[in-house]
Short mmCIF file of all heavy atoms in Angstrom, two decimals:
data_model
loop_
_atom_site.label_atom_id
_atom_site.label_comp_id
_atom_site.label_asym_id
_atom_site.label_seq_id
_atom_site.Cartn_x
_atom_site.Cartn_y
_atom_site.Cartn_z
N SER V 212 41.24 13.81 44.57
CA SER V 212 40.49 14.81 45.29
C SER V 212 39.40 15.38 44.40
O SER V 212 39.61 15.55 43.19
CB SER V 212 41.42 15.94 45.75
OG SER V 212 40.68 17.00 46.29
N GLU V 213 38.27 15.65 44.98
CA GLU V 213 37.22 16.36 44.24
C GLU V 213 37.71 17.79 44.02
O GLU V 213 38.51 18.31 44.80
CB GLU V 213 35.92 16.38 45.06
CG GLU V 213 35.31 15.01 45.25
CD GLU V 213 34.89 14.37 43.94
OE1 GLU V 213 34.37 15.08 43.05
OE2 GLU V 213 35.11 13.15 43.79
N PRO V 214 37.23 18.45 42.97
CA PRO V 214 37.65 19.84 42.74
C PRO V 214 37.25 20.73 43.92
O PRO V 214 36.18 20.56 44.51
CB PRO V 214 36.87 20.24 41.49
CG PRO V 214 36.46 18.97 40.85
CD PRO V 214 36.34 17.95 41.94
N LEU V 215 38.12 21.67 44.27
CA LEU V 215 37.81 22.62 45.33
C LEU V 215 36.78 23.62 44.81
O LEU V 215 36.71 23.89 43.62
CB LEU V 215 39.08 23.38 45.74
CG LEU V 215 40.18 22.55 46.38
CD1 LEU V 215 41.41 23.42 46.63
CD2 LEU V 215 39.69 21.93 47.67
N PRO V 216 35.97 24.21 45.71
CA PRO V 216 35.00 25.20 45.27
C PRO V 216 35.67 26.47 44.75
O PRO V 216 35.07 27.23 44.01
CB PRO V 216 34.16 25.48 46.52
CG PRO V 216 34.93 24.92 47.66
CD PRO V 216 35.87 23.90 47.13
N PHE V 217 36.92 26.70 45.15
CA PHE V 217 37.71 27.82 44.63
C PHE V 217 39.18 27.52 44.92
O PHE V 217 39.50 26.73 45.80
CB PHE V 217 37.29 29.16 45.25
CG PHE V 217 37.45 29.23 46.75
CD1 PHE V 217 38.64 29.67 47.32
CD2 PHE V 217 36.42 28.86 47.59
CE1 PHE V 217 38.78 29.73 48.70
CE2 PHE V 217 36.56 28.91 48.97
CZ PHE V 217 37.74 29.35 49.52
N GLN V 218 40.07 28.16 44.15
CA GLN V 218 41.50 28.01 44.38
C GLN V 218 41.92 28.98 45.49
O GLN V 218 41.31 30.03 45.68
CB GLN V 218 42.29 28.29 43.11
CG GLN V 218 42.06 27.27 42.02
CD GLN V 218 42.48 25.87 42.46
OE1 GLN V 218 43.58 25.67 42.98
NE2 GLN V 218 41.61 24.91 42.26
N LEU V 219 42.98 28.65 46.20
CA LEU V 219 43.41 29.47 47.33
C LEU V 219 43.77 30.88 46.93
O LEU V 219 43.58 31.82 47.71
CB LEU V 219 44.59 28.80 48.04
CG LEU V 219 44.28 27.46 48.67
CD1 LEU V 219 45.54 26.86 49.27
CD2 LEU V 219 43.19 27.58 49.71
N ASP V 220 44.28 31.07 45.73
CA ASP V 220 44.66 32.41 45.29
C ASP V 220 43.55 33.13 44.52
O ASP V 220 43.73 34.24 44.04
CB ASP V 220 45.93 32.35 44.44
CG ASP V 220 45.75 31.49 43.20
OD1 ASP V 220 44.71 30.80 43.07
OD2 ASP V 220 46.67 31.48 42.37
N GLU V 221 42.39 32.52 44.44
CA GLU V 221 41.25 33.10 43.72
C GLU V 221 40.49 34.07 44.63
O GLU V 221 40.33 33.83 45.82
CB GLU V 221 40.32 31.96 43.28
CG GLU V 221 39.15 32.38 42.45
CD GLU V 221 38.31 31.17 42.04
OE1 GLU V 221 38.75 30.03 42.21
OE2 GLU V 221 37.18 31.40 41.59
N HIS V 222 40.03 35.18 44.06
CA HIS V 222 39.23 36.15 44.81
C HIS V 222 37.76 35.75 44.71
O HIS V 222 37.19 35.73 43.63
CB HIS V 222 39.44 37.56 44.28
CG HIS V 222 40.84 38.05 44.46
ND1 HIS V 222 41.38 38.29 45.70
CD2 HIS V 222 41.81 38.30 43.57
CE1 HIS V 222 42.62 38.69 45.56
NE2 HIS V 222 42.92 38.70 44.28
N VAL V 223 37.16 35.41 45.86
CA VAL V 223 35.75 35.05 45.91
C VAL V 223 35.08 35.86 47.01
O VAL V 223 35.75 36.47 47.84
CB VAL V 223 35.55 33.53 46.16
CG1 VAL V 223 36.11 32.72 45.01
CG2 VAL V 223 36.18 33.10 47.46
N SER V 224 33.76 35.83 47.05
CA SER V 224 33.03 36.63 48.03
C SER V 224 33.29 36.12 49.45
O SER V 224 33.68 34.98 49.68
CB SER V 224 31.53 36.56 47.74
OG SER V 224 31.03 35.26 48.05
N GLU V 225 33.06 36.99 50.41
CA GLU V 225 33.23 36.63 51.82
C GLU V 225 32.28 35.49 52.19
O GLU V 225 32.64 34.61 52.97
CB GLU V 225 32.97 37.84 52.71
CG GLU V 225 33.20 37.54 54.18
CD GLU V 225 33.01 38.76 55.06
OE1 GLU V 225 32.73 39.85 54.54
OE2 GLU V 225 33.15 38.60 56.29
N GLU V 226 31.09 35.48 51.63
CA GLU V 226 30.12 34.42 51.91
C GLU V 226 30.68 33.05 51.50
O GLU V 226 30.58 32.08 52.25
CB GLU V 226 28.82 34.69 51.16
CG GLU V 226 27.76 33.61 51.38
CD GLU V 226 26.49 33.88 50.58
OE1 GLU V 226 26.25 35.03 50.18
OE2 GLU V 226 25.75 32.91 50.37
N VAL V 227 31.29 32.99 50.34
CA VAL V 227 31.88 31.73 49.87
C VAL V 227 33.06 31.35 50.77
O VAL V 227 33.20 30.19 51.18
CB VAL V 227 32.33 31.84 48.40
CG1 VAL V 227 33.13 30.62 47.98
CG2 VAL V 227 31.12 32.02 47.50
N ARG V 228 33.91 32.30 51.13
CA ARG V 228 35.05 32.02 52.01
C ARG V 228 34.59 31.50 53.37
O ARG V 228 35.20 30.60 53.94
CB ARG V 228 35.91 33.27 52.20
CG ARG V 228 36.67 33.63 50.97
CD ARG V 228 38.15 33.59 51.27
NE ARG V 228 38.88 33.96 50.09
CZ ARG V 228 39.76 33.19 49.49
NH1 ARG V 228 40.05 32.03 49.99
NH2 ARG V 228 40.37 33.59 48.42
N LEU V 229 33.52 32.08 53.90
CA LEU V 229 33.03 31.62 55.20
C LEU V 229 32.42 30.23 55.11
O LEU V 229 32.58 29.42 56.02
CB LEU V 229 32.01 32.62 55.76
CG LEU V 229 32.60 33.95 56.23
CD1 LEU V 229 31.48 34.92 56.59
CD2 LEU V 229 33.54 33.75 57.40
N ARG V 230 31.74 29.94 54.03
CA ARG V 230 31.13 28.62 53.85
C ARG V 230 32.21 27.53 53.80
O ARG V 230 32.03 26.44 54.33
CB ARG V 230 30.30 28.57 52.59
CG ARG V 230 29.76 27.16 52.33
CD ARG V 230 28.91 27.07 51.11
NE ARG V 230 27.67 27.79 51.37
CZ ARG V 230 26.96 28.41 50.44
NH1 ARG V 230 27.36 28.42 49.19
NH2 ARG V 230 25.85 29.02 50.74
#
Side-chain angles (χ1 to χ4, degrees):
S212 172
E213 294 297 321
L215 295 176
F217 61 90
Q218 293 299 311
L219 296 177
D220 60 352
E221 184 179 347
H222 295 294
V223 296
S224 71
E225 183 177 359
E226 179 182 339
V227 171
R228 288 241 181 239
L229 289 173
R230 175 179 291 150

